[in-house]
Amino acid sequence: MKSITNTLFYIIILNMIPAALLGTFQISSSLYTLLFALVFLLQIIMIYNVLGRESLKITRNQFLIFILFLIVEVISNLYSAIFFEKIDSNEFLVVFSVTLNIFFFIISISNYRVQYSDLYRFFFRIVQAGSFACFINLLLNYKEILSISSLTNSYVAEFSSFFSNRNTFGVLMLITIISNKYLIESSYYKFANLFQIFFFVNLLLTFSRTSIAGVLLFYLLFYYFNYVRYNYKIGLSKALSIILLIFIVALAILFMLTNDFIINRLNILLFRIDNLESGSGRFDVWRSGFEIGTSNNFFFGLGRYKALELKEKFYHNSLNYFHSIYIEVFVTYGLIGFTMLIMYFRHIIKKISHSSFFGKNITYSSIFSFMFICLFESTTRFSIGYADTISLIFFFSIPILIGNMKTDEDIKKEVV
C-alpha cells in the first residue's frame, strides 16, 4: 500500500525546488511561474495516485460542503463579472487550483488512515529537510552572521538559506521545530534536543517576527495542554530541566535588560518598535480588505484578483495579499467562506480530541499557533505555491490524518 505521508513529503520538496531556484539563481518570474504550474499538476497526479479511486468516495456531508464551496466560488466570480463587467483570467486558475487542493488535501484525505510509523517517518524527513536548509544557511551566510552587529535593520538581513526571503525560510523552520517536537516527545532519535537548539538559532536569524512568535506560542500552548489542562505528571529529570531552562531564560532576559547595546540591536533587528503602531503596514491592509469585503458582495466575496485590483485602485496598495488569511478568505469568499474556514478549525480540533495519537497535544498547540499566525500572514490561500502548499499539508492534511488515528477498540465500536 502506498504511503500518503511519503507522498505529502515529496510534494513539499517539489514545491521547494522553484523557491530554491528563485532564491539561489534568481530565475525569471515567468520561469518561476511555469515551474510552479508544473509542480502543481504533478502534485495533483501524485496525490490522486496514492488515494486512488477511493478519493472519489466521499460522504454525503463532505459532498455537500464541497458543493457549497463551489457555489461560493462561482457566485463570487459571477458577481465581479456582472457588476464590474470583466473578470481577470487568473481567477479561473485560482478556482481550478483551490478546488482541486481542497478536494484532495482536505476532503478526500479525511477518509484515509495512517500508521504511527508513517507519521514519525514524515516528521523525521521534515527534520532532515530543515537540517539541510539550516546548514546551507550557515554555509552561505556565515560571514554576515559573524558581523550581525553591523546590520542597520532586519530587512537587509539575507539569512534565508536557499530561499528568496527570510520569511519563507521562517515557515520551514516553524514546521521543522514542530516536527522535531513530535520526535523529541517520542524519543525517536538521539540528539533531538540539540537539533532543536540548532533550529531555534536559525529561526532567530530569520528575524521573522511572525514565525518566532508562532514557535513561542506553540511551546506555551504545549506546556499548557500537556501539564496544566490534562495534569500530566512531570518526572524529576524533566522538572529539573524545566527549572534550569527557566533560570537560564531569566538570566538572559536580565542581562539583555541591563545592556543598552543588546536592547538596541533587538529593537532594530526584531522588535522594530517604531512600526508597531501601524502593524508594519498591516492595519491599513486589513482595513482595506474589510471595507472592500463589507461593501461588495458581503456573503460570497469578490474573488482574489478583483479584491486585489480594488485594493490597489482605491487604497493605493499594490501588495498581492492582505497580510491575514482571515481577511483574505473574507474578501475573496465572503462571510460564508470565512465561516467555513472557522468551522474547519473547530471540526479538526474536535476530531483530534478523539484521536489515539499520543502527540495530539503537540497537534493542538500547532493548530492554535497556526491560527494565531493566520491573523498576521496570508499563510495559505489553498492555491499554487510553496507557502500555500506547505501550510496546507502541515496544518490541514497532517492534522486530519492525526485526527483519523484510532485504536483497534475504537474502530470495532464504529463498526458495531
Side-chain angles (χ1 to χ4, degrees), residues 346-360:
R346 179 179 179 274
H347 166 74
I348 195 60
I349 289 170
K350 183 178 179 180
K351 191 178 181 72
I352 290 170
S353 69
H354 295 99
S355 171
S356 64
F357 186 53
F358 97 98
K360 60 185 179 182

Side-chain angles (χ1 to χ4, degrees), residues 244-261:
L244 178 61
L245 178 62
I246 293 174
F247 179 71
I248 293 173
V249 170
L251 283 179
I253 293 175
L254 180 63
F255 176 72
M256 287 187 295
L257 291 177
T258 56
N259 191 303
D260 292 336
F261 175 77

Side-chain angles (χ1 to χ4, degrees), residues 145-209:
I145 291 172
L146 293 176
S147 59
I148 195 171
S149 61
S150 63
L151 293 178
T152 55
N153 64 74
S154 63
Y155 297 103
V156 301
E158 297 295 336
F159 310 140
S160 54
S161 189
F162 43 72
F163 295 104
S164 58
N165 64 74
R166 55 195 177 81
N167 291 318
T168 308
F169 184 39
V171 171
L172 178 60
M173 286 298 93
L174 172 67
I175 72 164
T176 301
I177 288 171
I178 295 174
S179 296
N180 199 43
K181 186 61 178 174
Y182 283 108
L183 303 180
I184 289 172
E185 293 301 310
S186 63
S187 302
Y188 191 82
Y189 72 105
K190 294 181 179 180
F191 311 117
N193 283 301
L194 291 177
F195 269 89
Q196 197 75 324
I197 295 172
F198 181 53
F199 299 143
F200 277 131
V201 170
N202 276 269
L203 174 65
L204 289 173
L205 288 174
T206 66
F207 303 117
S208 174
R209 291 182 296 185

Side-chain angles (χ1 to χ4, degrees), residues 6-141:
N6 284 347
T7 301
L8 293 176
F9 173 74
Y10 295 142
I11 289 173
I12 288 176
I13 296 300
L14 271 177
N15 278 270
M16 285 185 184
I17 294 173
L21 290 175
L22 178 64
T24 306
F25 300 106
Q26 287 77 50
I27 60 175
S28 65
S29 59
S30 57
L31 178 58
Y32 179 71
T33 303
L34 176 61
L35 286 174
F36 262 124
L38 292 174
V39 166
F40 173 75
L41 292 176
L42 185 57
Q43 75 185 37
I44 294 300
I45 294 172
M46 291 170 65
I47 193 72
Y48 177 75
N49 185 47
V50 70
L51 292 176
R53 293 184 179 180
E54 294 297 316
S55 63
L56 304 177
K57 297 179 181 179
I58 58 178
T59 66
R60 180 175 177 272
N61 287 340
Q62 290 170 340
F63 176 75
L64 292 175
I65 291 171
F66 183 63
I67 293 299
L68 175 60
F69 182 71
L70 284 178
I71 291 172
V72 171
E73 285 189 298
V74 170
I75 292 179
S76 64
N77 285 286
L78 277 178
Y79 176 90
S80 295
I82 293 171
F83 285 90
F84 296 98
E85 299 181 348
K86 68 175 183 177
I87 184 170
D88 193 315
S89 58
N90 287 313
E91 294 288 6
F92 297 107
L93 179 60
V94 171
V95 171
F96 176 73
S97 60
V98 172
T99 300
L100 289 179
N101 276 340
I102 287 180
F103 181 80
F104 284 110
F105 290 92
I106 294 180
I107 293 178
S108 293
I109 213 171
S110 296
N111 303 317
Y112 201 98
R113 283 188 173 142
V114 296
Q115 302 295 321
Y116 293 101
S117 57
D118 295 325
L119 283 171
Y120 291 133
R121 191 179 302 112
F122 172 83
F123 293 131
F124 185 66
R125 286 178 170 177
I126 290 291
V127 168
Q128 288 178 313
S131 300
F132 176 74
C134 288
F135 282 115
I136 294 297
N137 184 49
L138 297 182
L139 183 64
L140 293 176
N141 304 299

